[in-house]
Amino acid sequence: MDDLLERLRAGLPAEALITDPDITASYAHDMASFCDAGAPAVVVLPRTVEQVQHVMRTATALRVPVVPQGARTGLSGAANASDGCIVLSLVKMDRILEINPVDRIAVVEPGVINAVLSRAVNEHGLYYPPDPSSWEMCTIGGNIGTASGGLCCVKYGVTAEYVIGLEIVLADGRLLTTGRRTAKGVAGYDLTRLFVGSEGSLGIVVGAVLALKPQPPQQLVLAAEFPSAAAACDAVCRIMERGHTPSLLELMDRTTVRAVNKMAHMGLPDSTEALLLAAFDTPDPTGDLTAVAELCTAAGATEVVPAADAAESELLLQARRMSLTALETVKSATMIDDVCVPRSKLGAMIEGTAAIAEKYDLTIGVCAHAGDGNTHPVVCFDHTDADESRRARESFDEIMALGLELGGTITGEHGVGVLKKEWLARELGEVSVEMHRGIKAAFDPLGLLNPGKVF
């Protein structure tokens, strides 16, 4: 320990090191439940690439594991510390280095907050689409690490589609540059995509070149109330089958709607069994909303209400963004699943989740990026009740099994981390796991980067 601190201090300013155990303990975990976390030896908050390189060279020399972190808003335990590790928090590397309206790119450090970047590029008439629900807190580096999504993915895609270049500090301290600044480029293997979603297990992201789009018109939102989740999912299928391209297509089940109402008094209809939000950001969205309203009515919607203006649209979106926070108030703890299925199987996924909730006598609310088939079943439970905690964990696993049975994946945007390690092998298969482990060994032969995560 003394040798580690002495070597770290040789290349870092004093304020970059935290050794007080009461403070380092606060960096031990992200927001996931049922994920073990160890006690870090030290927390380092670098401000430069050179400082990150010094940390990795020191870690390699002393064979000390390193756990990279962003804002720790993750939901899979990917940022959880291991005993005796260096926690490498990138939140102080928070500069937007460049916004280029001609090339439509932004160059940023990993600690930049998603919402800060979004507002900055908006001032140039540009748009950075990925918008996780935690966008006011989460960092770009964390978004890259977990390949996060958001509400707009149905039209604009996920983080991976906007990361075109990276600067990576490797386990031994070398600096690797991947990708490009150009609109096109196919030179070599796509190492950039390899690092997106790698959860800090292959290298430390210290810079990113991000693709931007022209800022679209302000979107308008429509809310449709349904007598069942199955009817709402039928509406989703009709909307997508007819070729519509909404900028957002989100679903909240009855449990979620009631939790949001109770927390924020937003006046959402308590009588609904499912609430579907659809939005368009076309130059004249009224025609699209009218067509979608007709499809919702045909699918059985009992009420369809288009927002009158941008302010009313934003109010509806705030209700959706608050879903996970509201469900956290139902019980003392939550497990937030992230199962993505083909859109055509969305209804079966939600109905199956309801059956699992009944089987285990638990409250499970579902909010979903319905246009992507990406469901977020939230298991609410009393963490002080051992039996209820056990049932929560078993129901969580059963939900993931259901997703795989329906041809889906165990994670659409939250990552694997600690929470889903065992399930990853089931999804990938033996040959794929072997290839993944070979890639990990090539980039991190000593196994120092985020050990115990993913594989």
Side-chain angles (χ1 to χ4, degrees):
M1 175 69 169
D2 290 342
D3 189 19
L4 171 63
L5 294 178
E6 182 179 346
R7 293 201 189 196
L8 288 174
R9 289 187 181 112
L12 296 168
E15 64 271 16
L17 289 170
I18 300 175
T19 57
D20 183 331
D22 290 333
I23 300 176
T24 59
S26 68
Y27 286 83
H29 56 83
D30 63 17
M31 298 178 69
S33 300
F34 288 108
C35 292
D36 293 336
V42 59
V43 174
V44 181
L45 294 98
R47 291 183 179 271
T48 69
V49 172
E50 292 75 20
Q51 290 173 6
V52 176
Q53 289 180 285
H54 173 69
V55 171
M56 293 314 305
R57 291 185 187 116
T58 301
T60 294
L62 299 178
R63 305 298 195 264
V64 177
V66 177
V67 176
Q69 289 183 350
R72 290 179 287 114
T73 57
L75 295 164
S76 68
N80 284 15
S82 53
D83 284 331
C85 76
I86 299 170
V87 163
L88 187 60
S89 173
L90 286 306
V91 294
K92 298 294 186 182
M93 296 180 68
D94 60 356
R95 294 179 300 163
I96 299 174
L97 302 174
E98 179 185 352
I99 297 174
N100 189 319
V102 175
D103 294 332
R104 294 183 181 172
I105 61 170
V107 182
V108 304
E109 293 182 327
V112 173
I113 299 296
N114 184 298
V116 171
L117 174 64
S118 295
R119 292 177 184 126
V121 302
N122 288 166
E123 293 177 6
H124 295 266
L126 297 169
Y127 177 44
Y128 180 67
D131 64 340
S133 294
S134 59
W135 77 309
E136 293 281 6
M137 300 178 288
C138 64
T139 64
I140 295 298
N143 294 169
I144 292 170
T146 58
S148 60
L151 305 187
C152 70
C153 296
V154 62
K155 180 175 182 178
Y156 292 104
V158 295
T159 295
E161 295 169 60
Y162 295 89
V163 182
I164 61 174
L166 290 171
E167 279 201 323
I168 305 284
V169 173
L170 297 174
D172 59 9
R174 288 179 295 166
L175 185 64
L176 169 68
T177 299
T178 76
R180 63 192 195 278
R181 292 171 58 101
T182 56
K184 297 191 295 185
V186 293
Y189 296 132
D190 192 348
L191 296 183
T192 302
R193 278 289 186 114
L194 180 62
F195 279 95
V196 178
S198 65
E199 302 182 30
S201 64
L202 301 178
I204 311 296
V205 173
V206 291
V209 182
L210 305 174
L212 305 173
K213 289 187 175 293
Q215 187 172 6
Q218 179 69 49
Q219 64 183 357
L220 283 182
V221 178
L222 170 150
E225 181 181 353
F226 289 87
S228 69
C233 293
D234 180 30
V236 170
C237 293
R238 291 171 186 245
I239 291 166
M240 302 308 293
E241 184 180 23
R242 294 295 178 88
H244 294 287
T245 309
S247 55
L248 172 149
L249 192 56
E250 298 287 309
L251 184 147
M252 300 160 63
D253 75 347
R254 177 184 183 182
T255 300
T256 306
V257 169
R258 291 191 171 188
V260 170
N261 267 347
K262 184 176 180 180
M263 184 182 78
H265 308 289
M266 298 196 71
L268 297 173
D270 271 347
S271 59
T272 187
E273 292 295 321
L275 187 70
L276 188 66
L277 302 178
F280 288 88
D281 58 4
T282 50
D284 182 13
T286 53
D288 292 302
L289 289 178
T290 298
V292 166
E294 292 173 357
L295 292 173
C296 287
T297 300
T302 54
E303 188 171 4
V304 181
V305 181
D309 52 30
E312 193 171 320
S313 293
E314 184 56 32
L315 186 64
L316 288 169
L317 295 187
Q318 280 298 106
R320 171 60 185 89
R321 288 187 185 278
M322 289 192 300
S323 293
L324 298 183
T325 303
L327 287 167
E328 288 172 355
T329 67
V330 173
K331 289 273 187 148
S332 64
T334 58
M335 291 189 74
I336 303 172
D337 219 324
D338 168 39
V339 175
C340 193
V341 297
R343 295 185 192 102
S344 58
K345 302 294 184 180
L346 182 62
M349 183 68 208
I350 293 178
E351 287 184 341
T353 299
I356 291 169
E358 183 176 356
K359 173 182 176 180
Y360 287 96
D361 191 23
L362 292 166
T363 299
I364 303 179
V366 179
C367 51
H369 308 307
D372 306 319
N374 191 181
T375 66
H376 293 308
V378 181
V379 183
C380 307
F381 64 100
D382 181 355
H383 75 283
T384 65
D385 184 325
D387 182 65
E388 192 164 305
S389 296
R390 175 191 57 78
R391 286 184 279 123
R393 182 68 215 220
E394 290 179 5
S395 72
F396 185 89
D397 286 343
E398 225 173 280
I399 290 169
M400 284 192 288
L402 172 63
L404 291 180
E405 288 169 12
L406 293 173
T409 174
I410 60 168
T411 176
E413 57 185 2
H414 291 172
V416 176
V418 177
L419 192 61
K420 298 187 174 183
K421 277 179 60 178
E422 295 177 6
W423 283 92
L424 182 64
R426 300 190 200 188
E427 177 173 338
L428 296 182
E430 184 178 343
V431 174
S432 182
V433 168
E434 182 182 343
M435 294 297 103
H436 278 73
R437 287 178 173 158
I439 292 169
K440 167 71 170 172
F443 282 95
D444 181 23
L446 298 177
L448 299 179
L449 286 168
N450 217 5
K453 316 296 169 49
V454 189
F455 293 102

